[in-house]
Amino acid sequence: MPLVNPLPILKKARQQKLAIAAFNIHNLETMQAVVEGAVEEMAPVIIQTTPGTLEHAGIPFISAMAKAAAEEYRIPIILHLDHCSSFAIAVKCIRYGYTSVMIDGSALPYQDNIKLVAEVVKVAQAAGIAVEGELGRIGGTEDDITVDEREAAMTVPGEALDFVQRTGIDTLAVAIGTAHGLYKGEPLLDFDRLAQIKELVDIPLVLHGASGVPDDSIIRSINRGICKVNIATELKIPLAEAIKNSFKVNPAEDDPRNYLGAGREEVKKVVKRKIRLTGASKLLKR
Ligand code: 13P
């Protein structure tokens, strides 16, 4: 089947207190690991790329690989643009077949964030594409967006309602204490804040920075309205470890099929575990 818009699946996830996992990929092997893992778990899956990855790999290559994966397998596959602050890149991705885009104006003043997001919503909704916005600021480092963890402000529930109403977004990324990248200690999530946001806002909520968040906190978040769980760092680490290990075992290794193949297998294991944690397989059942 073609790449799909995630909204029907996310709405079902909201009703059933389940979530879909969204994995950041960087190349063919990481995309294969995500898709094959999802196929083995019989679950829908979101493949996502940041603008930095698009600069590295090229939008046409990523979109062609994702379309090929969707045609090859019988699970719903979504191609999503993650943390994009550029109207032009978001529109380009839509033209190339992305079925969901995040427009991240969270670094802008509130009114400017609304204006940027509403402009993307207008274009995306006309094309049948879902839009994710972000309110509050999620700490840590991802690509060129760096927010000092102390400065990172959490989403204010009343503002979230206003933001959703004024932008028309389909999903909302919330700042409730998670951060991109690795945590120094155990992350403390503000579950009460999340529950309040869910009470006010009737669209699916997104958890960024899920790498390193304990499983029980992920489950508690899903029970309080999180319908999309974003994972990047926890895939990067096993990929790098497997490649390093290939060279340790055979310092003369020069066949990328061997070291990238080993990386792909390790990434796939994490993908499968995270998919099981979200309960996403149940979303394909009636
Ligand atoms: P992690 O790198 O912490 O998994 O964050 C991923 C993310 O939120 C992508 O948007």
Side-chain angles (χ1 to χ4, degrees), residues 24 48 82-83 142 179-181 207-211 230-234:
N24 288 65
Q48 57 188 21
D82 189 30
H83 284 294
E142 184 160 292
H180 295 118
L207 186 71
H208 281 248
S211 290
N230 281 10
I231 297 143
T233 306
E234 272 193 75

Side-chain angles (χ1 to χ4, degrees), residues 26-27 29-30 235-267:
H26 303 92
N27 60 2
E29 285 77 10
T30 45
L235 300 193
K236 285 182 187 169
I237 293 170
L239 177 66
E241 287 302 321
I243 294 171
K244 282 187 244 176
N245 193 47
S246 297
F247 289 109
K248 206 155 95 192
V249 171
N250 179 9
E253 177 63 80
D254 61 5
D255 188 336
R257 290 169 297 188
N258 292 339
Y259 56 82
L260 292 177
R264 180 174 58 201
E265 289 314 302
E266 292 308 310
V267 172

Side-chain angles (χ1 to χ4, degrees), residues 67-121:
K67 284 176 186 166
E71 290 301 337
E72 183 71 17
Y73 297 108
R74 295 160 66 99
I75 52 162
I77 299 179
I78 294 107
L79 180 60
H80 173 80
L81 174 65
D82 189 30
H83 284 294
C84 177
S85 53
S86 152
F87 177 81
I89 295 174
V91 172
K92 194 167 175 190
C93 284
I94 292 170
R95 278 195 13 241
Y96 271 92
Y98 274 62
T99 51
S100 177
V101 295
M102 174 185 194
I103 184 76
D104 182 358
S106 64
L108 299 172
Y110 184 59
Q111 297 301 337
D112 296 346
N113 186 0
I114 290 179
K115 190 162 170 273
L116 173 67
V117 174
E119 276 166 10
V120 172
V121 166

